[in-house]
Amino acid sequence: MEVEKLIKMANQIGDFFEANPDVEEAKREIASHLKKFWNSIMIKTLVAHVQQQQGQGLHPKVIAAIQQHLHL
Amino acid sequence: MDDIKYSSSQPQMPKYDPDKDYGTPKSDSATMVTLNIDGVDVTVPDGTSIMHAAQLGGVTVPKLCATDSLEPFGSCRLCLVEIEGRRGYPASCTTPVAPGLKVKTQTPKLADVRRGVMELYISDHPLDCLTCAANGDCELQDMAGAVGLREVRYGYEGENHIGQAKDESNPYFTFDPSKCIVCSRCVRACEETQGTFALTIQGRGFESKVSAGNKDFLDSECVSCGACVQACPTATLMEKTVIEAGTPEHKITTTCAYCGVGCSFDAEMKGEQVVRMTPSKEGGANHGHSCVKGRFAWGYATHADRITTPMIRKSIHDPWQKVGWDEAINYAASEIKRIQAQYGKEAVGGITSSRCTNEEVYVTQKLIRAVFGVNNVDTCARVCHSPTGYGLKQTLGESAGTQTFDSVMKSDVIFVMGANPTDGHPVFASIMKRRLREGAKLIVVDPREIDLVDNSPHVRADYHLKLRPGTNVAMISAISHVIVTEGLVQEEFVKARCEWDSYVAWRDFAAKPENSPEALEKELGVPANDVREAARLYATGGNAAIYYGLGVTEHSQGSTTVMGIANLAMATANIGREGVGVNPLRGQNNVQGSCDMGSMPHEFPGYRHVSDDATRAQFEQAWGVTLSADPGLRIPNMLDLAVEGSFKAVYCVGEDIAQSDPDTQHVTHALENMECVIVQDLFLNETAKFAHVFFPGASFLEKNGTFTNAERRISPVRKVMTPKNGMEDWEITAKFSEALGYPMHYAHASEIMDEIAALTPTFTGVSFKKLDELGSIQWPCNDEAPTGTPTMHVDEFVRGKGKFFITQYVPTTERVNQKYPLILTTGRILSQYNVGAQTRRTHNVAWHHEDLIEIHPHDAEDRGIAEGDWVGITSRAGQTVLRAKITDRVQPGVVYTTFHHPESGANVITTDNSDWATNCPEYKVTAVQVSKVNQLSDWQKQYRSFSDTQIELSGMDPQTVVS
């Protein structure tokens, strides 16, 4: 799926959890949200973007969440 | 007969019969009073009228101006009685019971007085009973009989009201003043039941007459709810369908197929023909009231545009081929098999609708999960209340509203945000307005001046926070800030009921200076002091209840606002009892139910995640298949993948994504890219114009099932006529499943509900049998709550402790700039429903035959736009043209339209922005420019030509099909 759209959606998720003062919890929540609501095709595309493009354009906390909590 | 023992210490309340008219409303008093009526002791609640008590005791007192939906009026003088020890002949409707009273309802003197009254009435009434539309259903006729009127000594030649012109302007009922007895029941129904105050008694004495404000009914303030027609004891106000067909001979109770109020109706029938729909007095949601849609706008069910024969075609440019059911179903099944073999299992999916019954949604998601083998099932709640499901589950633990509608009668403060109840949820609005007239305070948060603000008689908002579209979260932050920093939090409640750590984090966030009303004043466009005062009122004004709608959810931060609302309710202890709560007003009849039934791609019925092994194992065992643990695609994901070429087939039941979903051109492009679009609907809707298989569906009058309304009330939908298409919708889905090699063995919709109950913890106590007994049931209904749960989260939240969430305001990326300087927001109107496929095929078009663009006088003047001009509306997504309506209901910088007509193309301009958590589209905020134009947009011209061609390909005539 077009990665631009996924980046936009993932960044919106990142923006919501950004406000959580507990950084580690925020990252867990981001990863958990993706796993709960995104189809695996979408997650795979986003993970590949993090692995291959250093997550260009992605919210830093989303990148960290994917790196720490989404091992596909 | 049973041997019933009566004793004064345990008084027996006589049995209530909803088919009887008790003349005055029932009293809710717990104190019982015993009196004697015509020699029989009757025990009734204190506050009951003698008339009502008599009827309970089995004695009918003659009456004309009284009916039990209205407060007593005491004008007709027919219901007089004699009371031992009292002088004169008091009216039994206005005289309350008292202990030990001895009442006589029939004496020679009373008979004489009553005959005299009737004689006067009849001397000024046409004697055309045999040809009158009310013949057999006329209370005046009944009373003439009851009092034994045998002659009219005055003759009929004197000055009278006979022969006056009828007002037939309303498309659904006539007003014949010649037959009016000026009992005021219509006037009082308009005031008390509906709350519109459109009717008055004009003049005095002989000149008195019912008037719709000196206008004909259609042009008056009348909202055509029909309460007056129902209240009228004669043929003065009469349904046109009854005039045409005569009186009905049987009735079947069913549930309205329009909005999320879910009114109960008696379908009054002659054979298989509906003569009229009368709201049921026992309806848990509506208590005998209705709106113009439910009561009158059901003609679409038999409209000539209905398609009743299955159709197939290879390409959307081919003519449709009418075929038998087997051929259509086998073709659809072979296409699904071919596509899955060619492109993979995940290349197919399905979409259900909030217009489907619970049973239809259940079998559709079962088909997709168990037979297609994927979780790619979604529902139209995606584009309306998906943020409610997410937000309330996160904070409170259940994806549903917390109250009954009646709860509002115990509210002291009513907080309405992003909802327009008088148009979207009219019957609930009538209850709400009644409470407001009793003195409850009202806070409205809305960019537009909805009718509740200052356009409903005797109702006025104490605060209208007219915020800029897109700033809901900032508004919630500002209100939270005031509650936290002014010490208005109910900390005892929070300590006992909520996760304390989450509260502390939220409190510290809300208290930040940047969240103060002053800091956010410019962003919100609302004076800080108004926000402060409204927040204080909500937190300290007694029972405070929040009602919200799509103006909350359809934003890029829709889910955040829902969570913010739940935070407010928890912080102020406004949850867990009557009169308070968090109340999402659902747009369509079965939004709640379709979500409950597992039509979201990540959840099984009962909101249990597909990755939960225990739940999945339960369904795998029941269905005998292996199920996927991977959340499926949501509607926008399906469409995106279709545009990219990997999603190839969709089974769309009762939903019209080509009209209702945002960014129309993206949707239609996706549909064009698919190889098999299967549409199941009543009409050749917009999506069907891109379809390859058409399964004709059945209307709500033609099937059995249940709908679940905004208060979690499961109500029965009952078949009152044979399906014109030959099958109920669940049967079509079951046959489709069988053709794919997975037979579904249901003999009746009730068996589907039995399966739902067996597999869903919140539904274990639900069955059609229990629904027959109780009328309706609010889930959860199980061993702990065998008759249902009116109020949720009473002693603890469903998730255990309530959880606060930090709700940081993040402005939408859809911003105004020089090119697109205005914000377009959308809404609905009373007479039309959703995409209009139903209501446009009724006489409701008399009130709203086209969508208009509302524009503030300043913005209009700047652009040289006058009332009625064609206006082009251009966004980053597209352009459409509508006629202008100049009004200061909208604020400068904001324009507004409805979306009930496909050629309006409201969604051609909405963008693909969506809620961060659920992908619910941001319908409510689109940056646009508007300008005066001379012709329709290119999209509209293309649409017209494409649509006409498609109608021709289906064998119908574009000139006659409703657009």
Side-chain angles (χ1 to χ4, degrees):
Chain A
M1 203 168 139
E2 228 179 85
V3 79
E4 298 335 331
K5 277 202 175 174
L6 298 179
I7 291 172
K8 184 176 168 184
M9 284 159 58
N11 285 349
Q12 283 182 279
I13 295 166
D15 283 343
F16 178 80
F17 290 105
E18 176 69 31
N20 189 335
D22 183 338
V23 176
E24 289 310 313
E25 191 187 51
K27 286 189 277 187
R28 279 196 303 275
E29 296 269 14
I30 292 169
S32 154
H33 189 93
L34 293 173
K35 276 195 280 195
K36 255 181 116 170
F37 299 103
W38 283 30
N39 178 267
S40 59
I41 301 172
M42 295 157 68
I43 294 185
K44 276 179 197 152
T45 310
L46 198 67
V47 171
H49 179 72
V50 170
Q51 286 167 349
Q52 289 154 24
Q53 309 292 329
Q54 291 76 49
Q56 210 185 345
L58 267 178
H59 194 296
K61 230 167 247 175
V62 176
I63 299 178
I66 290 172
Q67 284 169 338
Q68 286 178 29
H69 300 291
L70 285 181
H71 301 292
L72 290 174
Chain B
M1 264 182 83
D2 291 341
D3 183 22
I4 302 169
K5 288 197 177 106
Y6 294 98
S7 82
S8 55
S9 59
Q10 282 178 312
Q12 298 283 319
M13 178 75 183
K15 199 173 176 311
Y16 177 80
D17 175 0
D19 284 335
K20 281 188 178 166
D21 183 351
Y22 289 80
T24 63
K26 63 177 154 196
S27 164
D28 290 330
S29 175
T31 310
M32 301 300 279
V33 169
T34 300
L35 72 164
N36 186 286
I37 300 176
D38 291 346
V40 177
D41 278 351
V42 184
T43 302
V44 297
D46 195 18
T48 302
S49 72
I50 288 176
M51 174 184 279
H52 192 116
Q55 186 68 272
L56 280 170
V59 171
T60 302
V61 183
K63 63 177 182 57
L64 275 174
C65 72
T67 186
D68 59 13
S69 61
L70 301 172
E71 292 301 321
F73 196 55
S75 78
C76 75
R77 314 309 291 167
L78 266 190
C79 73
L80 310 184
V81 292
E82 290 181 22
I83 301 174
E84 198 176 288
R86 291 197 191 176
R87 295 172 62 183
Y89 307 97
S92 64
C93 63
T94 51
T95 308
V97 296
L101 284 189
K102 284 193 163 56
V103 179
K104 281 191 165 45
T105 73
Q106 299 288 351
T107 66
K109 180 63 192 169
L110 290 171
D112 195 37
V113 174
R114 287 176 186 149
R115 257 195 304 274
V117 169
M118 282 308 297
E119 196 175 356
L120 282 167
Y121 275 124
I122 300 303
S123 70
D124 188 5
H125 195 85
L127 297 178
D128 61 352
C129 291
L130 289 179
T131 54
C132 177
N135 189 12
D137 186 22
C138 172
E139 294 180 40
L140 189 69
Q141 195 178 43
D142 295 346
M143 289 307 109
V147 306
L149 183 69
R150 298 291 172 257
E151 61 171 337
V152 174
R153 290 162 297 173
Y154 312 112
Y156 304 97
E157 309 309 318
E159 196 179 354
N160 60 49
H161 298 85
I162 298 167
Q164 296 182 72
K166 277 191 202 177
D167 176 351
E168 296 183 318
S169 61
N170 184 293
Y172 296 116
F173 61 83
T174 61
F175 173 64
D176 182 355
S178 304
K179 294 191 167 162
C180 180
I181 58 169
V182 203
C183 65
S184 295
R185 272 161 66 162
C186 57
V187 174
R188 289 180 286 139
C190 193
E191 292 177 6
E192 295 174 29
T193 309
Q194 166 57 27
T196 291
F197 295 74
L199 302 180
T200 52
I201 298 290
Q202 202 177 62
R204 308 185 64 160
F206 185 80
E207 301 300 321
S208 308
K209 62 171 188 179
V210 171
S211 164
N214 278 328
K215 293 177 178 167
D216 67 30
F217 269 74
L218 188 62
D219 292 330
S220 74
E221 297 291 312
C222 167
V223 293
S224 198
C225 70
C228 57
V229 180
Q230 191 172 338
C232 180
T234 71
T236 309
L237 285 156
M238 183 53 84
E239 294 94 345
K240 288 184 178 176
T241 49
V242 175
I243 295 174
E244 284 157 20
T247 45
E249 45 77 23
H250 74 278
K251 67 176 182 184
I252 299 169
T253 304
T254 189
T255 303
C256 179
Y258 284 117
C259 79
V261 178
C263 295
S264 177
F265 276 90
D266 293 332
E268 299 192 20
M269 310 290 299
K270 265 180 118 92
E272 291 206 56
Q273 179 194 2
V274 178
V275 176
R276 69 178 159 200
M277 297 287 277
T278 309
S280 345
K281 211 157 117 180
E282 291 300 278
N286 59 316
H287 307 296
H289 189 35
S290 73
C291 79
V292 59
K293 295 189 285 281
R295 190 192 294 263
F296 293 124
W298 37 267
Y300 70 87
T302 50
H303 194 276
D305 287 356
R306 257 193 77 180
I307 299 176
T308 53
T309 312
M311 306 190 295
I312 57 172
R313 59 181 176 177
K314 284 262 184 273
S315 147
I316 66 164
H317 306 295
D318 292 343
W320 282 102
Q321 195 188 334
K322 288 192 166 70
V323 296
W325 271 111
D326 286 348
E327 189 175 349
I329 284 169
N330 288 334
Y331 177 72
S334 70
E335 279 294 276
I336 295 292
K337 283 185 198 160
R338 174 186 70 77
I339 287 167
Q340 287 195 304
Q342 193 174 341
Y343 300 101
K345 216 159 72 166
E346 293 286 338
V348 304
I351 299 171
T352 75
S353 170
S354 305
R355 285 194 276 273
C356 299
T357 63
N358 287 320
E359 293 72 16
E360 288 157 15
V361 172
Y362 179 84
V363 294
T364 304
Q365 60 91 33
K366 179 176 176 180
L367 169 82
I368 290 157
R369 296 186 202 278
V371 188
F372 289 10
V374 294
N375 286 325
N376 298 336
V377 56
D378 208 353
T379 184
C380 62
R382 174 68 51 213
V383 300
C384 73
H385 265 293
S386 52
T388 291
Y390 174 80
L392 297 186
K393 179 101 175 169
Q394 293 289 96
T395 48
L396 311 178
E398 192 58 282
S399 301
T402 62
Q403 310 297 118
T404 62
F405 287 137
D406 287 348
S407 159
V408 78
M409 290 308 287
K410 295 194 173 155
S411 298
D412 303 304
V413 178
I414 298 170
F415 184 109
V416 179
M417 184 168 189
N420 185 4
T422 55
D423 286 57
H425 305 88
V427 171
F428 171 65
S430 289
I431 308 177
M432 183 188 270
K433 286 191 291 185
R434 188 178 313 155
R435 183 61 187 160
L436 291 166
R437 290 197 303 274
E438 288 177 358
K441 304 285 186 198
L442 174 64
I443 300 165
V444 172
V445 183
D446 201 296
R448 183 169 164 270
E449 192 177 305
I450 58 170
D451 276 356
L452 277 182
V453 171
D454 195 19
N455 195 33
S456 301
H458 310 291
V459 168
R460 177 176 288 200
D462 294 272
Y463 298 98
H464 177 203
L465 309 180
K466 203 171 181 177
L467 77 181
R468 289 197 315 114
T471 61
N472 284 340
V473 174
M475 177 59 79
I476 295 292
S477 296
I479 292 172
S480 305
H481 179 88
V482 176
I483 289 170
V484 164
T485 58
E486 296 190 7
L488 309 179
V489 173
Q490 298 288 319
E491 286 206 359
E492 288 307 308
F493 178 88
V494 174
K495 266 188 198 129
R497 297 285 307 270
C498 306
E499 287 184 7
W500 184 254
D501 291 351
S502 74
Y503 164 69
V504 170
W506 172 77
R507 180 194 65 194
D508 295 348
F509 160 78
K512 286 182 180 176
E514 63 261 37
N515 286 327
S516 74
E518 291 72 21
L520 290 165
E521 185 164 31
K522 191 153 175 274
E523 186 71 13
L524 292 168
V526 180
N529 198 48
D530 286 4
V531 176
R532 283 197 178 270
E533 288 185 6
R536 289 169 194 146
L537 177 60
Y538 173 74
T540 65
N543 281 346
I546 300 178
Y547 293 87
Y548 72 88
L550 306 183
V552 158
T553 55
E554 290 176 346
H555 287 275
S556 63
Q557 280 200 291
S559 293
T560 315
T561 310
V562 172
M563 289 189 274
I565 283 171
N567 289 340
L568 287 178
M570 291 189 289
T572 57
N574 276 311
I575 193 150
R577 62 182 188 279
E578 283 193 285
V580 298
V582 176
N583 303 276
L585 294 173
R586 310 292 191 149
Q588 302 201 60
N589 49 343
N590 205 32
V591 178
Q592 182 69 55
S594 68
C595 296
D596 300 341
M597 290 300 106
S599 61
M600 294 270 181
H602 63 286
E603 282 169 339
F604 287 119
Y607 304 100
R608 289 163 298 160
H609 201 268
V610 291
S611 67
D612 179 66
D613 292 338
T615 306
R616 206 172 58 257
Q618 192 193 7
F619 281 95
E620 286 180 337
Q621 200 194 357
W623 294 350
V625 292
T626 306
L627 296 167
S628 166
D630 186 18
L633 298 167
R634 303 161 171 178
I635 297 170
N637 311 144
M638 294 181 204
L639 297 174
D640 286 345
L641 288 174
V643 169
E644 287 174 29
S646 62
F647 187 83
K648 291 292 186 185
V650 68
Y651 175 39
C652 197
V653 186
E655 188 49 18
D656 191 5
I657 54 172
Q659 191 184 346
S660 65
D661 284 35
D663 197 359
T664 306
Q665 292 173 94
H666 179 70
V667 177
T668 56
H669 185 194
L671 289 168
E672 280 167 342
N673 260 13
M674 293 190 209
E675 294 183 9
C676 183
V677 174
I678 305 161
V679 168
Q680 185 166 318
D681 206 282
L682 301 179
F683 303 106
L684 191 79
N685 65 18
E686 301 310 307
T687 309
K689 291 169 186 169
F690 296 88
H692 307 87
V693 177
F694 187 91
F695 292 158
S699 80
F700 79 111
L701 295 167
E702 298 163 332
K703 59 192 174 196
N704 292 300
T706 54
F707 288 144
T708 307
N709 77 353
E711 31 161 33
R712 296 168 278 103
R713 186 184 300 280
I714 308 161
S715 300
V717 177
R718 297 194 177 97
K719 184 164 152 179
V720 305
M721 56 172 79
T722 309
K724 282 186 176 300
N725 58 327
M727 264 192 277
E728 298 184 37
D729 288 76
W730 66 263
E731 293 178 276
I732 301 169
T733 307
K735 279 187 191 297
F736 186 22
S737 181
E738 189 172 0
L740 283 159
Y742 186 91
M744 291 186 182
H745 303 288
Y746 307 113
H748 188 273
S750 65
E751 295 178 9
I752 303 173
M753 180 52 86
D754 293 343
E755 183 173 317
I756 295 164
L759 290 167
T760 314
T762 44
F763 275 68
T764 49
V766 181
S767 67
F768 276 36
K769 185 169 171 283
K770 195 186 272 185
L771 285 166
D772 286 344
E773 288 161 13
L774 300 179
S776 62
I777 299 168
Q778 286 177 271
W779 68 259
C781 173
N782 43 32
D783 288 346
E784 292 88 69
T787 56
T789 311
T791 308
M792 290 194 86
H793 314 296
V794 174
D795 296 316
E796 66 168 355
F797 288 102
V798 171
R799 75 185 297 284
K801 298 271 187 188
K803 185 173 180 182
F804 284 82
F805 276 80
I806 293 177
T807 56
Q808 175 67 50
Y809 171 54
V810 180
T812 171
T813 51
E814 183 66 14
R815 286 182 209 172
V816 295
N817 59 17
Q818 253 188 322
K819 195 169 173 199
Y820 304 110
L822 305 173
I823 295 175
L824 168 77
T825 188
T826 59
R828 57 185 75 200
I829 200 159
L830 171 67
S831 56
Q832 296 286 347
Y833 176 73
N834 202 267
V835 296
Q838 292 143 288
T839 43
R840 280 184 283 109
R841 291 179 172 92
T842 69
H843 296 300
N844 277 26
V845 289
W847 289 275
H848 183 82
H849 61 87
E850 68 176 314
D851 296 316
L852 302 170
I853 179 93
E854 288 188 8
I855 178 164
H856 190 273
H858 292 171
D859 292 326
E861 195 184 342
D862 284 351
R863 292 163 175 79
I865 295 167
E867 182 83 11
D869 280 352
W870 284 115
V871 171
I873 307 130
T874 312
S875 75
R876 293 176 180 98
Q879 196 207 20
T880 195
V881 172
L882 299 169
R883 280 187 199 282
K885 180 177 177 186
I886 317 280
T887 171
D888 58 9
R889 279 191 143 191
V890 289
Q891 51 190 298
V894 176
V895 291
Y896 167 91
T897 189
T898 49
F899 51 87
H900 303 303
H901 295 263
E903 69 274 22
S904 299
N907 282 322
V908 174
I909 31 187
T910 52
T911 69
D912 68 351
N913 263 18
S914 67
D915 173 51
W916 66 270
T918 66
N919 277 156
C920 180
E922 189 182 38
Y923 288 116
K924 300 295 183 185
V925 184
T926 308
V928 296
Q929 176 60 293
V930 303
S931 57
K932 197 169 158 174
V933 294
N934 300 319
Q935 54 177 335
L936 294 176
S937 73
D938 290 344
W939 179 85
Q940 284 166 311
K941 288 182 210 159
Q942 280 163 20
Y943 165 79
R944 178 49 50 211
S945 139
F946 173 78
S947 177
D948 284 356
T949 305
Q950 286 298 326
I951 291 166
E952 279 168 10
L953 292 175
S954 75
M956 292 188 287
D957 178 358
Q959 301 304 314
T960 61
V961 168
V962 172
S963 63

